[in-house]
Amino acid sequence: GRPAPAPVLLVGGAQGPTAYVEAALVLGRFLVPNGEACDLTTTSSYGLGRLLGAALDQGARRVVVAVGGVATHDGGAGLLA
């Protein structure tokens, strides 16, 4: 895949920071070139796994993921890679 920068919002809380991430920023349909199909052979949730790892590296105890507008349907298999 192609790198896609995305922010991680950390909000402090009594039980530690919570991270908020937007999956569409790394998996979004707008990232798929025109004419390229959005299927399992061309898209993956790997980028979301990297984003979740970054959130944990920044000290998040919980992560909230907004999932609308994504271009992958791999059931999360890519984020586990």
Side-chain angles (χ1 to χ4, degrees), residues 3 8 12-13 18 27 29-30 32 36 40 45-47 52 54 57-59 64-65 67 72-73 75-77:
V8 174
T18 298
L27 308 177
R29 290 182 183 272
F30 72 95
V32 178
E36 189 173 312
L40 291 178
S45 58
Y46 176 76
L52 295 177
D57 288 346
Q58 293 178 36
V64 176
V65 180
V67 295
T72 184
H73 306 284

Side-chain angles (χ1 to χ4, degrees), residues 27-55:
L27 308 177
R29 290 182 183 272
F30 72 95
L31 297 169
V32 178
N34 287 339
E36 189 173 312
C38 294
D39 61 34
L40 291 178
T41 64
T42 60
T43 61
S44 167
S45 58
Y46 176 76
L48 181 57
R50 298 283 310 258
L51 189 57
L52 295 177

Side-chain angles (χ1 to χ4, degrees), residues 4-11 17-22 25-26 47-65:
V8 174
L9 173 64
L10 280 179
V11 177
T18 298
Y20 295 86
V21 299
E22 173 59 61
L25 294 176
V26 293
L48 181 57
R50 298 283 310 258
L51 189 57
L52 295 177
L56 295 174
D57 288 346
Q58 293 178 36
R61 303 271 307 192
R62 286 180 302 278
V63 180
V64 176
V65 180

